[in-house]
Amino acid sequence: MKIAEIINPYVGETGGLITALQAVQAAQGFLPPETEAVAAEAFNLTKAEVKGVISFYADFHREPQGEIVVRLCAAEACQAAGGRDLAAAVEKKFALKSGETSASGDLTLEPVYCLGLCSAAPAALVGDKLVGRADAQRIEDAVARHAKERA
Amino acid sequence: MAEALKLFLPLDSVAVSLGANEVAGALLAEAAQRNVDIQLTRTGSRGMHWLEPLLEVERDGERLGFGPLEESDVGGLLDSLLDSKAKHAKSIGLAEEVPFFKNQTRLIFARCGVTDPLCLDDYAAHGGLAGLDAAIKKQGADICEEILASGLRGRGGAGFPAGIKWKTVAQAESDQKYIVCNADEGDSGTFADRMIMEGDPYLLIEGMAIAGLAVGATKGYIYLRSEYPIAANILNDAIAKAETAGLLGDNVRGSGKAFHLQVFIGAGAYICGEETSLLESLEGKRGEVRAKPPLPALEGLFGKPTLVHNVITLCSVPVILEKEAEFYRDFGMGKSTGTMPFQIAGNVKHGGLYETAFGVTLGELVETIGGGARTGKPVRAVQIGGPLGAYLPPSLFHLPMDYEAMLAKGAGVGHGGIVIFDESVDLLEQARYAFEFCVEESCGKCTPCRIGSVRGVEVIDRIRGRIDHDDNLVVLDDLCELMVDGSLCAMGGMTPIPVQSALKYFPEDFGLRPAKQAAE
């Protein structure tokens, strides 16, 4: 589906630009460079305004992410329950720093600021799977399961 | 044929994160293998999160609990259920008799964990819609009076009297007004909004509909953070069912008044929990905060009068209308009336959600109810009210959870989240993180927040490195003062709270002599 076709239904909706960008990203996995011009045209905005919105929100990505995105909660409740050590262990396990994507494009590691699982900390989101009381092994298992499901 | 075995298992995110969906799958498979007829209802969570996934089995009208369950427990559990004499190792007895649950006062979470979240009949059978029906019989101004008389204060953090906001919006003249629910629950240590949206979504819908009738708003939005996909699905399904049932739409339950409701999903920005930033975002823009005044109550979404409230505030409304202001006001202490769902999190043995009247002490919540740290080590600090909340030591555990009592110690109730840290915590590191988080999440509009937070990280690093230690402590103090006085919103204005409370109560972590016992 063309980007304009994804975007157009949201013109005129409340907060439509954000919802349209979410839809593009859901379809393409990221926001391809032409998104800015197409969205600007559709919403009667400047490209700078669209770019400003894209760059403001952490959810929007202008580059493809890894096949699997592992998001580790970096906020206080998870810190209190060993989240910093967990992050270090996961970084070591996948030989990646937080915020990086593996060279193969298999996996992206990134921080997230609260998943609302603070009573089951530390928490992570592996693909679309929530992991409470996480440890490095459970995260590795979830990644393996995710890879298997996609294969 | 024997009656189907009635089972209840949460669909709540915490339960799911701990394997509830796998347990549900195993239940269906193992039951089929045994030729046992089961009726599995997915509910919200009762909030006893250390027991999740917590399966409940109905027997003689009562519910026996089993948890925390693993997939591999399921076969054995079914076998023991079929043999009435067997007692399963993970039995916790009657779920409602667990002291953590039994001792609560559940005005808001009364149905959460009990009913099927999407079943409107279940909702009505358990007291739902009584508040809306009472509101329909009243004039809008009288509903506002009821809320004012209840003493309800905004549960998002600021604690502003809700009734005053309602009256302001009600009295504003406009062709269009809005109700906006702030469901951008980004504070670490808080999950009450998520739980109620997942476990009892009609309560929020009912609260918003009442607010719409009261102030004359015909359109409402729920601004939901993108980190809550399960809540998003449930809310969307609930809204669709509510429309079909005439609870939302052009004629709300025969009142002749319209109220339409829509979910809007945010895009990952903590600052959008600030109400003016949220409104910008809901308009599809960068979530930069607006200067106040004008107040959103007068010039909010698209410049129209807008009532912005947190989820729990709106969920407190139906019970006030149903049972009247006096009933509600009798809970709590001083100017903190009603109940609050406290969220006990972090390094905690019995983590979860505990709804009770204001006035419960911090120590009761942390030690008695929460059971202290999960690691078994002594609790050294708690942070109350999210990333912008104060770090407090055990010597202040006698403090009651009350807006004014907390304020007197430079702290706040916030959204009711309590994050517990054991003795391994380094408060200098936590202070640094407070600034770091502000660097990450500042909207960038005002300088004290955007630049001050970066300078804060640098100053803390110099204090840690013992570089001009004493001078940098002075700089830190000065920087905090500037951020408090000069920031446009609470992001920059409150970031100094965790920093300065850490320094005040845990000076030894900053290379200073230990404080004398901080109590009185």
Side-chain angles (χ1 to χ4, degrees), chain B residues 6 45 50 95 152 155 178 208 228 272 280 292 306 311 347 354 364 449 473:
Chain B
K6 281 190 186 165
S45 167
W50 73 99
L152 176 66
R155 298 287 190 250
Y178 298 103
M208 291 184 76
Y228 286 177
C272 291
E280 288 287 302
K292 286 193 275 194
T306 304
V311 174
N347 187 345
Y354 193 93
E364 284 174 79
C449 176
L473 283 168

Side-chain angles (χ1 to χ4, degrees), chain B residues 249-261:
Chain B
D250 290 328
N251 183 9
V252 174
R253 267 177 95 69
S255 63
K257 296 194 175 120
F259 190 68
H260 299 271
L261 187 55

Side-chain angles (χ1 to χ4, degrees), chain B residues 102-396:
Chain B
K102 195 182 180 185
N103 296 334
Q104 297 187 42
T105 304
R106 291 199 152 203
L107 300 185
I108 302 163
F109 281 79
R111 277 173 299 268
C112 192
V114 179
T115 55
D116 175 347
L118 286 171
C119 177
L120 251 175
D121 290 340
D122 223 5
Y123 183 68
H126 287 80
L129 301 178
L132 178 57
D133 287 343
I136 287 171
K137 297 196 189 96
K138 289 176 189 273
Q139 295 293 322
D142 296 335
I143 304 174
C144 295
E145 277 305 328
E146 197 76 36
I147 296 299
L148 190 63
S150 74
L152 176 66
R153 295 166 72 166
R155 298 287 190 250
F160 188 79
I164 294 177
K165 251 195 213 180
W166 287 45
K167 280 183 141 179
T168 308
V169 179
Q171 285 162 8
E173 296 278 339
S174 179
D175 56 340
Q176 179 69 60
K177 297 179 191 177
Y178 298 103
I179 310 292
V180 171
C181 171
N182 183 346
D184 195 47
E185 185 179 51
D187 286 354
S188 177
T190 67
F191 42 83
D193 296 354
R194 179 185 61 65
M195 278 184 64
I196 203 74
M197 290 186 288
E198 291 174 351
D200 198 16
Y202 294 123
L203 180 65
L204 177 58
I205 293 172
E206 184 181 353
M208 291 184 76
I210 294 170
L213 295 177
V215 305
T218 54
K219 184 111 192 87
Y221 292 97
I222 299 170
Y223 186 101
L224 181 70
R225 63 199 299 258
S226 60
E227 290 86 348
Y228 286 177
I230 296 178
N233 288 335
I234 290 176
L235 284 172
N236 279 321
D237 286 353
I239 288 171
K241 285 180 189 253
E243 282 168 353
T244 308
L247 173 56
L248 293 171
D250 290 328
N251 183 9
V252 174
R253 267 177 95 69
S255 63
K257 296 194 175 120
F259 190 68
H260 299 271
L261 187 55
Q262 201 180 319
V263 175
F264 181 88
I265 310 288
Y270 174 78
I271 192 62
C272 291
E274 196 281 335
E275 62 177 358
T276 63
S277 160
L278 183 153
L279 293 172
E280 288 287 302
S281 182
L282 189 48
E283 292 180 11
K285 304 177 200 157
R286 289 165 67 85
E288 287 184 7
V289 301
R290 300 175 183 169
K292 286 193 275 194
L295 294 171
L298 296 172
E299 291 180 37
L301 185 63
F302 301 113
K304 303 291 184 185
T306 304
L307 184 69
V308 187
H309 269 312
N310 164 260
V311 174
I312 297 299
T313 318
L314 290 161
C315 287
S316 301
V317 165
V319 71
I320 294 171
L321 269 295
E322 181 196 348
K323 302 201 168 160
E324 302 194 338
E326 207 170 319
F327 166 84
Y328 189 80
R329 204 175 47 208
D330 284 347
F331 293 95
M333 66 180 279
K335 289 180 186 165
S336 304
T337 64
T339 60
M340 183 79 182
F342 293 103
Q343 300 125 82
I344 312 173
N347 187 345
V348 59
K349 197 167 160 204
H350 295 160
L353 179 133
Y354 193 93
E355 183 179 350
T356 191
F358 284 97
V360 61
T361 69
L362 187 51
E364 284 174 79
L365 287 168
V366 173
E367 304 284 4
T368 318
I369 297 162
R374 188 162 76 202
T375 48
K377 293 179 186 167
V379 173
R380 180 157 183 250
V382 296
Q383 187 181 26
I384 310 175
L388 309 176
Y391 286 100
L392 300 179
S395 58
L396 292 177

Side-chain angles (χ1 to χ4, degrees), chain B residues 435-457:
Chain B
F435 281 127
E436 235 184 290
F437 185 67
C438 188
V439 172
E440 186 73 29
E441 300 293 347
S442 172
C443 81
K445 182 149 178 164
C446 73
T447 317
C449 176
R450 184 183 68 244
I451 306 290
S453 53
V454 178
R455 293 289 167 267
V457 173

Side-chain angles (χ1 to χ4, degrees), chain A residues 27 31 35 40 43 52 73 76 84 106 122 133:
Chain A
L31 298 175
T35 309
F43 284 91
C73 181
E76 290 90 338
R84 289 189 179 100
D106 285 348
R133 289 184 211 130

